[in-house]
Amino acid sequence: MSDPVKTRTKSEETRQRIFEAALEMFHDRGFDSTTMREIATRAGVATGAAYYYFDSKDAIVLAFYDQARTDMEPRQEKALSASLDLRERLRNLINVKLEYFAPSRMLLGALSGNTNPEHPLSPFSEQTREIREHDIRFFERALEGSRTPGPKDLKRHLPRLLWMYQMGIILFWINDGSRGQAKTTVLLERSLDVVTRLIRLSSLPLTGAIRRSVTQLMDTLMA
């Protein structure tokens, strides 16, 4: 009779081998050009075994996103603990993403067209909701633990707006052809000035009407 612990370990090793083979092929050949049969061959398993662990290439990418979330969490924690300055905290959080995903930039580029919320790999899809909400909570903490938390009536929406800002930076970075993505660095630094100043200004009483408009707009989008 087989040892269930050993069997489980072998199963996990097989899954990991398929996962790593898939990522290698996505990097080498592109996401669209790679088939599950080819992934199985690279991993040294039967095609049926590949489908047993991942029912599609999309499932492999979702596993990649989930692993990225786990891997980045301690780095994000460190990013928040480094400063109480909101600008610095936001820069640190976004740089964690850019540094982590740098080896996979071409893969992200191939996937970046999947923006329709109906597509499982869209950052706005139901399938990626847990990962998205996890990321948004870091922006919520970045605000709450800073010297610039923003106005209370925007508390529900500011973290989500900052997450969307981050997604814009990442999309620009994916398509940035400058050496070392230098333009992204400039964009991030200059846009952070604008974003943090707007958050400070939004706390002034005279911006109350604008805040109400933003809240109504966000409520409509999230309905």
Side-chain angles (χ1 to χ4, degrees):
M1 184 173 179
S2 63
D3 186 333
V5 175
K6 289 183 179 179
T7 301
R8 187 166 58 249
T9 300
K10 182 178 179 180
S11 176
E12 291 171 353
E13 288 175 351
T14 301
R15 183 184 186 278
Q16 186 64 23
R17 194 161 70 248
I18 295 167
F19 178 69
E20 291 175 356
L23 293 184
E24 288 173 3
M25 296 200 73
F26 292 161
H27 289 144
D28 296 344
R29 299 191 53 193
F31 178 77
D32 292 332
S33 300
T34 300
T35 67
M36 288 292 286
R37 180 182 296 275
E38 290 167 336
I39 292 169
T41 299
R42 173 73 70 93
V45 301
T47 304
Y51 277 109
Y52 173 78
Y53 290 100
F54 300 99
D55 60 16
S56 66
K57 292 190 296 180
D58 287 355
I60 296 173
V61 173
L62 288 172
F64 168 62
Y65 289 161
D66 194 56
Q67 178 175 296
R69 174 182 61 172
T70 301
D71 290 346
M72 284 189 290
E73 187 162 355
R75 307 181 199 189
Q76 291 172 307
E77 293 287 353
K78 185 177 180 180
L80 291 181
S81 65
S83 175
L84 295 179
D85 179 70
L86 179 61
R87 186 184 189 282
E88 187 73 16
R89 288 160 78 88
L90 296 177
R91 182 210 283 135
N92 291 345
L93 281 178
I94 294 172
N95 276 334
V96 166
K97 288 284 183 69
L98 299 183
E99 290 168 7
Y100 181 87
F101 284 119
S104 306
R105 184 166 158 265
M106 290 184 65
L107 172 59
L108 294 186
L111 301 172
S112 62
N114 300 319
T115 56
N116 188 327
E118 297 299 317
H119 194 289
L121 300 184
S122 166
F124 309 101
S125 73
E126 185 60 34
Q127 289 86 341
T128 57
R129 176 187 292 275
E130 186 178 345
I131 295 170
R132 179 172 63 252
E133 295 299 329
H134 180 269
D135 211 23
I136 289 171
R137 283 193 290 274
F138 271 99
F139 285 104
E140 181 178 355
R141 290 176 55 198
L143 286 161
E144 289 179 348
S146 77
R147 292 189 288 262
T148 314
K152 292 182 179 180
D153 53 354
L154 285 183
K155 184 178 180 179
R156 285 191 305 121
H157 298 306
L158 264 181
R160 194 168 299 273
L161 288 169
L162 288 171
W163 176 82
M164 293 173 69
Y165 160 67
Q166 172 198 247
M167 296 305 294
I169 294 292
I170 292 174
L171 184 60
F172 183 90
W173 170 76
I174 287 170
N175 295 283
D176 183 2
S178 63
R179 184 185 295 273
Q181 289 69 60
K183 288 184 178 179
T184 301
T185 301
V186 174
L187 174 64
L188 178 59
E189 292 301 323
R190 293 183 179 176
S191 61
L192 280 171
D193 286 338
V194 175
V195 168
T196 51
R197 286 174 184 173
L198 285 174
I199 291 174
R200 283 196 294 271
L201 289 172
S202 68
S203 297
L204 297 176
L206 59 86
T207 63
I210 298 175
R211 294 200 305 272
R212 284 192 294 274
S213 295
V214 170
T215 299
Q216 291 168 1
L217 176 60
M218 291 297 292
D219 286 341
T220 299
L221 292 173
M222 295 171 61

